[in-house]
Structures are given as C-alpha cells and as structure tokens.
C-alpha cells in the first residue's frame, strides 16, 4: 500500500503498518483510538476493542500491509470496526463481540461496508474486497470464500475468533 492510499483510507481511529501494529501494546493502540474518538467511551467499548485486538493480532501475523481500526464511513454515518489491506486485497471486518449467531442484519452491514469501500473510496475501486462478519462466539465459520461478484466484491464470509485466520 502506498502512502497516498493510506491517506485516502484515513481517517480511522488507528492506522498502522501491520508489522508496527503487531509490536504495539493493546494500551498503546487503545490510547490512540481513545484520543481520536468524538464519542464518550464506555467500559464495554474498551472491552470490545481489547477483544478485537487479540483476534486481529493472531489473524494477521505474517501478513504485510496496513490495518485500520474504526474506519469512518461518512456515507453510512458509521465506522468499520477493522479494515485490513494486504497486497491488493481490502478486508473490512465487522465484529460482533460476544455474539453467538450471525444475524441477517449484521451480514448486511458487512456487505454494505464492502460496497461502500468499492464504490465510494477511490483507492478501492480496482481492489478485490473480502468482507468478514466476525461473531466471536459463533459455532459456525466459513473456511473458504464464495465466488466474487463481477465488481470484485466477495459475499461476506462468516467467522468466529478461531476461524478468522483461516479466511486470511
């Protein structure tokens, strides 16, 4: 990823090369995220971020690229929990920390994020996009990707904490 692409993908509460992220403590990452948020933080939000960091750390080890947490999606008025950019691939991850089931509305949320990145982020127009809905306590997880649509956006994969590394 080039520096210009990073600027196009920003703003996010946290962004770094994956290698740099892997050397940072959770406190350092959460500290940066806390400084950039415009909303009051709750203990539940910090606990969710901590859980996300643990899962992502074990999933991206060995990958080269960039990682973004709480990436702003102005058109939708929301934030993508995590975006991983590795090689040409863009991987938006929607976390449902503590969830046991992948709900249709959560699946649609992951799909909307992927479509937003594809259609409204210049750096993503030509990139393949692999959205993931990650429900931390779900029993079912996809182990492979379905066929992408003609625009290069894959249908969202469903994962749990243990299945995330398989998808990456």
């Amino acid at each position: 990823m080039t520096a210009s692409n990073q600027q196009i993908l920003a703003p996010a509460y946290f962004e770094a090369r994956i290698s740099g992220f892997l050397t940072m403590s959770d406190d350092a990452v959460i500290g940066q995220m806390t400084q950039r948020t415009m909303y009051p933080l709750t203990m539940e939000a910090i606990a969710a971020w901590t859980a996300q960091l643990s899962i992502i750390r074990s999933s991206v080890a060995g990958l080269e690229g960039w990682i973004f947490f709480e990436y702003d999606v102005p058109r939708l008025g929301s934030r993508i929990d995590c975006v991983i950019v590795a090689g040409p691939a863009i991987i938006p991850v929607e976390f449902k920390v503590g969830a046991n089931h992948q709900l249709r509305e959560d699946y649609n949320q992951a799909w909307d994020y992927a479509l937003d990145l594809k259609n409204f982020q210049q750096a993503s127009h030509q990139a393949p996009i692999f959205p993931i809905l990650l429900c931390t306590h779900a029993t079912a997880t996809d182990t492979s990707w379905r066929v992408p649509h003609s625009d290069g956006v894959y249908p969202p994969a469903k994962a749990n904490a243990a299945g995330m590394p398989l998808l990456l």
Side-chain angles (χ1 to χ4, degrees):
M1 176 172 191
T2 67
S4 62
N5 286 354
Q6 181 195 8
Q7 291 170 356
I8 291 169
L9 280 174
Y13 287 1
F14 175 86
E15 65 261 354
R17 287 195 175 277
I18 291 172
S19 58
F21 162 70
L22 290 172
T23 65
M24 295 179 73
S25 70
D26 286 358
D27 288 343
V29 175
I30 291 172
Q32 286 188 29
M33 292 169 67
T34 300
Q35 288 177 346
R36 291 190 179 176
T37 185
M38 296 178 289
Y39 305 103
L41 281 177
T42 64
M43 293 307 292
E44 292 82 14
I46 293 171
W49 284 347
T50 302
Q52 292 172 21
L53 292 176
S54 174
I55 293 165
I56 291 296
R57 280 185 202 286
S58 65
S59 299
V60 300
L63 292 180
E64 292 185 24
W66 289 85
I67 190 155
F68 302 83
F69 285 99
E70 296 296 329
Y71 171 71
D72 187 35
V73 184
R75 189 182 71 80
L76 297 177
S78 59
R79 294 187 168 276
I80 303 172
D81 293 324
C82 180
V83 177
I84 302 164
V85 179
I90 297 175
I91 306 154
V93 182
E94 175 56 27
F95 277 90
K96 298 300 177 187
V97 175
N100 295 319
H101 305 308
Q102 294 108 347
L103 302 176
R104 172 54 71 183
E105 59 263 24
D106 299 333
Y107 181 88
N108 290 342
Q109 182 181 13
W111 186 263
D112 285 345
Y113 287 154
L115 293 174
D116 191 73
L117 288 172
K118 173 56 86 175
N119 295 308
F120 297 99
Q121 300 294 325
Q122 184 178 12
S124 304
H125 287 324
Q126 302 304 316
I129 300 181
F130 297 83
I132 297 173
L133 169 59
L134 197 155
C135 297
T136 58
H137 293 91
T139 55
T141 188
D142 292 332
T143 57
S144 62
W145 291 92
R146 290 181 278 160
V147 176
H149 289 255
S150 61
D151 62 359
V153 177
Y154 286 73
K158 299 173 185 175
N160 57 25
M164 177 72 168
L166 297 172
L167 290 170
L168 295 180

